[in-house]
């Protein structure tokens, strides 16, 4: 099966290890970073959502008008707009980008962040709302006839859009989460299910939970699986690990005293979302897992989002990613701590190894299937 690579569409050069040097929306940097991904083998980039961050749909539209190939993953939180309005926004962006859009629906992991924009629902209520929201958006993308809706969270009459996506029948839907409520919502509605990087055994368990939820929802297909990591590369193993420890020291320095933007968005203690709780519990179990997974970066950030690292040479990190591919993960998300430089290095030195090995696996699989004997059916008169 094909493999895809997802990077980050950042709007400034700040990260967990260093403060930004310019404005929150630095147009020159935003375009330079996106172009670095397009020029170095990445398939798409994520434009993330934060309550005080630049509006990602407009940032994505800016990039889409400047680049021709790079695909867009747009993060969207249902609490910030009505679903019919959002459906038109997404369809318009798909038109602008000539069909390069996927939408990642974010339910919201912390009450504090949600309340910054007026969302006071509980976590389970938010998942129910997200599922209803996605259903409305899908129908608005595909229905050429007016329709009504009356649900737990939205009510309207006689809506029909005059703006439809380039992609038919609709734009792809991405979703993430690690709780039973998340599995139910994403299993029912998602084309892509996004997970944070955990050890192979735990990732396999989550994949099975997603598949089970999809079956329980009556689906005959299952979502594609995406897993996210923070790569830390070095020319040798020793240099990679030296860099890893410097990275953690820098994160701790940035978060000391609670002054960094990271700690304002993601409290370092007692996170509410299951995904962050899982990352912190894993870090308590140990630092190193499987071939290259390293947890101190997650521990230092309080399990804030995609924060477990893969440490090693490009060859080591590529083989670690292939271990996840062999589990059934076909979208690999990666974001370094030196965002621009790491996007270039990962694209130059890791992506080609993974793509070559995936192509090799596909050829071997096709050859094995061709060698299988044809089973003839025998009819018996009786």
């Amino acid at each position: 099966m094909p493999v895809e690579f997802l990077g980050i569409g950042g709007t400034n050069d700040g990260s967990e290890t260093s403060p930004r040097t310019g404005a929150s929306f630095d147009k020159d940097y935003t375009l330079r970073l996106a172009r670095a991904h397009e020029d170095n083998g990445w398939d798409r980039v994520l434009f993330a959502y934060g309550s005080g961050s630049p509006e990602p749909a407009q940032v994505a539209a800016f990039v889409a008008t400047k680049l021709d190939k790079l695909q867009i993953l747009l993060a969207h939180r249902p609490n910030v707009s009505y679903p019919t309005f959002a459906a038109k926004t997404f369809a318009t962006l798909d038109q602008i980008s000539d069909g390069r859009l996927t939408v990642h629906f974010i339910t919201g992991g912390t009450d504090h962040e949600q309340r910054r924009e007026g969302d006071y629902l509980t976590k389970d209520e938010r998942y129910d709302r997200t599922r209803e929201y996605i259903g409305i958006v899908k129908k608005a993308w595909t229905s050429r006839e007016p329709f009504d809706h009356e649900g737990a969270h939205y009510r309207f009459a006689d809506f029909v859009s005059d703006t439809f996506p380039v992609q038919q029948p609709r734009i792809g839907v991405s979703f993430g989460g690690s709780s039973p409520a998340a599995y139910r919502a994403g299993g029912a509605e998602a084309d892509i299910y996004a997970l944070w990087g955990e050890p192979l055994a735990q990732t396999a368990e989550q994949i099975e939970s997603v598949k089970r939820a999809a079956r329980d929802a009556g689906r005959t297909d299952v979502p594609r699986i995406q897993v996210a990591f923070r790569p830390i590369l070095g020319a040798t193993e020793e240099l990679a690990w030296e860099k890893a420890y410097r990275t953690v020291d820098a994160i701790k320095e940035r978060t000391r005293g609670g002054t960094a933007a990271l700690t304002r968005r993601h409290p370092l203690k007692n996170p509410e979302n299951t995904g962050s709780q899982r990352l912190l519990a894993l870090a308590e179990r140990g630092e190193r897992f499987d071939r290259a997974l390293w947890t101190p970066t997650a521990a230092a950030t309080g399990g804030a989002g995609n924060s477990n690292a893969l440490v090693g040479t490009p060859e080591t990190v590529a083989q670690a990613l292939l271990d996840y591919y062999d589990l059934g993960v076909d979208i690999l998300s990666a974001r370094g701590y030196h965002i621009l430089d790491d996007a270039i290095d990962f694209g130059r030195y890791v992506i080609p190894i993974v793509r070559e090995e995936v192509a090799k696996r596909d050829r071997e699989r096709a050859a094995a299937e061709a060698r299988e004997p044809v089973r003839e059916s025998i009819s018996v008169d009786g």
Side-chain angles (χ1 to χ4, degrees):
M1 62 182 175
V3 64
E4 297 181 9
F5 288 91
L6 169 69
I8 188 68
T11 60
N12 60 73
D13 62 355
S15 77
E16 296 92 332
T17 60
S18 59
R20 71 178 191 239
T21 59
S24 176
F25 182 23
D26 181 336
K27 290 195 295 183
D28 290 340
Y29 179 86
T30 298
L31 186 56
R32 188 161 70 251
L33 178 61
R35 184 169 284 121
H37 283 87
E38 182 171 87
D39 291 345
N40 287 282
W42 298 79
D43 295 286
R44 61 169 61 87
V45 293
L46 166 68
F47 293 95
Y49 191 93
S51 59
S53 302
E55 204 289 303
Q58 297 186 57
V59 177
F62 166 71
V63 170
T65 61
K66 304 294 185 180
L67 301 180
D68 298 325
K69 297 182 297 181
L70 191 66
Q71 297 178 54
I72 293 163
L73 180 61
L74 176 68
H76 179 76
R77 290 207 306 226
N79 62 292
V80 298
S81 66
Y82 210 73
T84 50
F85 174 83
K88 294 184 295 182
T89 300
F90 304 144
T92 302
L93 181 53
D94 201 51
Q95 293 281 347
I96 291 170
S97 66
D98 295 320
R100 287 180 280 154
L101 178 65
T102 302
V103 181
H104 180 64
F105 290 90
I106 300 174
T107 298
T110 68
D111 292 345
H112 182 238
E113 170 68 4
Q114 294 301 119
R115 290 170 183 171
R116 283 174 165 157
E117 293 187 289
D119 186 5
Y120 285 83
L121 295 184
T122 66
K123 181 180 174 182
D124 284 350
E125 289 172 337
R126 292 198 297 266
Y127 276 114
D128 289 339
R129 177 183 59 192
T130 300
R131 184 170 179 177
E132 182 178 345
Y133 193 100
I134 294 173
I136 294 168
V137 169
K138 286 180 177 178
K139 191 166 185 178
W141 283 337
T142 57
S143 177
R144 266 57 177 178
E145 299 295 330
F147 66 95
D148 302 339
H149 179 85
E150 186 163 353
H153 301 279
Y154 302 102
R155 179 184 180 189
F156 56 85
D158 205 40
F159 176 79
V160 63
S161 179
D162 193 31
T163 306
F164 296 97
V166 170
Q167 300 174 77
Q168 292 297 313
R170 59 173 176 80
I171 296 165
V173 167
S174 172
F175 187 91
S178 298
S179 67
Y183 297 144
R184 287 193 298 272
E189 298 292 347
D191 303 302
I192 297 169
Y193 201 100
L195 301 170
W196 291 334
E198 295 187 18
L200 293 164
Q202 283 70 45
T203 301
E205 291 171 357
Q206 290 213 77
I207 292 172
E208 182 53 40
S209 294
V210 173
K211 291 180 176 179
R212 187 183 309 114
R215 292 192 296 267
D216 290 346
R219 292 178 60 168
T220 56
D221 64 338
V222 295
R224 299 172 65 195
I225 301 297
Q226 170 187 306
V227 178
F229 303 96
R230 306 300 294 269
I232 301 177
L233 303 176
T236 66
E237 294 295 325
E238 292 77 10
L239 290 173
W241 284 104
E242 289 175 8
K243 183 178 178 181
Y245 286 108
R246 288 198 308 271
T247 298
V248 166
D249 288 343
I251 294 172
K252 291 177 179 178
E253 182 63 28
R254 281 274 284 149
T255 56
R256 187 172 290 120
T259 57
L262 174 68
T263 59
R264 292 197 299 271
R265 293 195 303 269
H266 303 283
L268 296 181
K269 295 181 180 179
N270 303 318
E272 298 169 14
N273 60 308
T274 302
S276 293
Q277 292 169 5
R278 289 175 65 102
L279 296 187
L280 292 181
L282 179 65
E284 290 180 358
R285 284 173 47 201
E287 290 192 356
R288 297 176 67 167
F289 295 84
D290 301 325
R291 194 187 299 264
L293 190 71
W294 196 55
T295 66
T297 46
T301 63
N306 170 23
S307 51
N308 269 340
L310 291 178
V311 182
T313 63
E315 293 78 10
T316 296
V317 170
Q319 291 302 321
L321 292 169
L322 286 162
D323 292 339
Y324 287 89
Y325 174 83
D326 290 339
L327 286 182
V329 177
D330 65 345
I331 303 175
L332 300 169
S333 174
R335 172 166 57 100
Y337 288 96
H338 298 86
I339 300 175
L340 178 60
D341 291 344
D342 287 344
I344 294 171
D345 287 346
F346 188 92
R348 286 179 176 174
Y349 303 119
V350 178
I351 289 178
I353 297 174
V354 176
R355 290 201 193 280
E356 182 178 348
E357 286 297 321
V358 166
K360 179 181 177 182
R361 282 164 164 74
D362 288 346
R363 289 194 299 270
E364 291 174 347
R365 186 181 300 111
E369 291 173 352
R371 289 194 299 268
E372 289 183 359
V374 177
R375 296 180 180 177
E376 297 182 358
S377 60
I378 301 174
S379 63
V380 178
D381 296 330

